[in-house]
Amino acid sequence: MMAVPSTRSPLVAMVGGGQLARMTHQAAIALGQSLRVLALAADEPAAQVTPDVMIGSHTDLDDLRRVAAGADVLTFDHEHVPTELLEKLVADGVNVAPPPQALVHAQDKLVMRRRLEALGAAVPRYLGLDSLDRLDEVDAFVSRVDAPLVVKAARGGYDGRGVRLARDLADAREITRAYLADGVPVVLEERVELRRELSALVARSPFGQGAAWPVVETVQADGICVQVIAPAPELPEGVAATAQQLALRLAAELGVVGVLAVELFETTSGALLVNELAMRPHNSGHWTMDGSRTSQFEQHLRAVLDYPLGDTDAVAPVTVMANVLGAARTPDMTVDERLHHLYARMPDARVHLYGKDERPGRKVGHINFLGDQGAGVAQVPKLRERAELAAHWLSHGQWSDGWDPHA
């Protein structure tokens, strides 16, 4: 008897109801897919727009089983699901992408550092500690490195959280002691002499196909990315290719399925060091929604469902993305009013808002600006200036250059 093909559209389950899940839902609609979301609350960004929402916790095994039931694949809006719970889901027969043995390298900085070192990937000099009994090793590390130290919680940090710059040896010991006393393993690293930070974004499917977007420059302020420039200006082609090849190799070696962001330090000497890994759509890839033939959100869906991957070519010679961060004081003008004024001045702005309440420093949206064909890198400063103006306006309801639409 001939099997009848299923007419059911693919169902992807995503743990987390944040903006990444919201934008993944947008991509799923175009592909005829359904996205089911496990959100902590009904007002989270994805829960506002996705019809198939389950309210629950990513640390509750029963909730994870509920969201995964009947789905073709379970994937992630964030990396905070305990590894042991994911392993139980795999034992249940759930298709988890990326699998827990890969995802742990994005969850635990110490596991990640040790594995990257074993794979021959260049990383900052570091010391990993998981016990107060080893606190004295901090002194020997400081004398050996002879550089300012960064102290990182091995698990749970993001957007600069869980990362502290030590003033001196005594401060490094105290920060380390506090983390370890709370049961949190620590990674101490040399503070690298930076030229800038880069991100190599790639995707990999279970079939083993890989795809890489242009390497981008990420601009940070207070540990939060405020701008992304794609491609990274004045990055030699050979260096960019090396970064892409490294990211594709790490995706294959670690068994990643889906999007992988490899955050890199470009040192003043021109070396590339791996800083962080993220195994999901990533802030450094938001430019792809307007500036690439295939967005990172569509690509992530293609990858976890084992579709052939999409074309990652840029559609403009340069794209600048600016994050919209909540202001210290929420403006009296509504977001919708601010959007009206922004479009009146900058009709080419590509705005993506997340439906979040505004709080100081919180990412509530992003804006993309695409450069003109033929203008080349000379237009980067102007695009960056416009992106900064637009993001500041949407955050504060004030034009930082004093522009008056009525003048």
Side-chain angles (χ1 to χ4, degrees), residues 55-363:
I55 305 302
S57 172
H58 58 272
T59 60
D60 185 294
L61 180 59
D62 288 339
D63 288 343
L64 292 169
R65 283 175 168 152
R66 281 195 304 125
V67 77
D72 294 87
V73 62
L74 178 78
T75 189
F76 308 96
D77 164 275
H78 60 72
E79 290 109 341
H80 305 312
V81 185
T83 307
E84 59 271 19
L85 298 188
L86 294 178
E87 289 172 344
K88 289 178 180 177
L89 293 179
V90 171
D92 290 345
V94 175
N95 177 20
V96 177
Q101 64 269 25
L103 188 64
V104 68
H105 298 93
Q107 296 174 316
D108 191 307
K109 293 180 176 65
L110 186 51
V111 171
M112 180 262 292
R113 282 280 177 263
R114 288 170 174 163
R115 184 67 188 281
L116 292 182
E117 203 170 37
L119 292 172
V123 297
R125 289 176 292 177
Y126 74 96
L127 171 68
L129 295 176
D130 53 13
S131 166
L132 280 168
D133 296 339
R134 298 178 56 198
L135 192 61
D136 288 344
E137 294 180 37
V138 175
D139 301 52
F141 180 69
V142 169
S143 62
R144 185 171 79 251
V145 169
D146 190 27
L149 282 190
V150 179
V151 186
K152 300 180 177 181
R155 281 182 172 262
Y158 64 97
D159 280 351
R161 297 172 179 86
V163 178
R164 302 271 300 276
L165 177 62
R167 296 186 301 272
D168 50 31
L169 172 58
D171 194 35
R173 286 178 63 95
E174 188 52 42
I175 296 168
T176 302
R177 184 194 301 277
Y179 279 134
L180 293 176
D182 287 339
V184 179
V186 171
V187 178
L188 289 90
E189 292 181 356
E190 62 174 327
R191 187 182 185 188
V192 177
E193 290 294 330
L194 282 184
R195 181 184 173 209
R196 57 181 169 176
E197 296 189 43
L198 304 172
S199 177
L201 194 74
V202 300
R204 181 177 177 273
S205 70
F207 181 74
Q209 183 186 10
W213 285 273
V215 177
V216 303
E217 177 178 348
T218 61
V219 181
Q220 314 289 323
D222 298 324
I224 299 176
C225 177
V226 293
Q227 278 194 2
V228 171
I229 309 152
E234 299 177 4
L235 185 67
E237 285 186 17
V239 177
T242 296
Q244 290 174 311
Q245 289 161 5
L246 171 64
L248 289 168
R249 180 170 74 88
L250 292 179
E253 294 274 11
L254 300 177
V256 174
V257 173
V259 167
L260 168 70
V262 179
E263 298 179 56
L264 299 160
F265 291 144
E266 183 184 12
T267 70
T268 51
S269 64
L272 295 181
L273 304 178
V274 179
N275 177 33
E276 303 277 0
L277 302 178
M279 296 183 190
R280 52 173 169 75
H282 190 253
N283 197 192
S284 68
H286 288 351
W287 71 274
T288 65
M289 295 180 75
D290 301 297
S292 172
R293 295 190 185 279
T294 307
S295 79
Q296 64 167 343
F297 300 102
E298 177 182 333
Q299 195 81 297
H300 188 72
L301 289 168
R302 289 197 192 203
V304 300
L305 290 169
D306 211 7
Y307 289 13
L309 299 182
D311 186 342
T312 50
D313 285 349
V315 299
V318 60
T319 301
V320 174
M321 185 281 295
N323 278 319
V324 180
L325 306 176
R329 176 186 172 278
T330 302
D332 295 330
M333 189 185 297
T334 66
V335 174
D336 188 55
E337 288 179 280
R338 282 173 259 161
L339 192 60
H340 276 244
H341 285 280
L342 174 65
Y343 281 149
R345 183 178 183 184
M346 301 177 177
D348 60 321
R350 314 290 183 92
V351 179
H352 303 271
L353 298 176
Y354 306 152
K356 287 182 170 183
D357 291 335
E358 296 175 82
R359 294 202 298 262
R362 190 186 199 192
K363 292 177 186 172

Side-chain angles (χ1 to χ4, degrees), residues 16-22 25 35 37 44-51 53 354:
Q19 64 261 27
L20 300 181
R22 182 186 179 106
H25 172 63
L35 187 76
V37 168
E44 288 194 328
Q48 296 173 23
V49 298
T50 311
V53 180
Y354 306 152

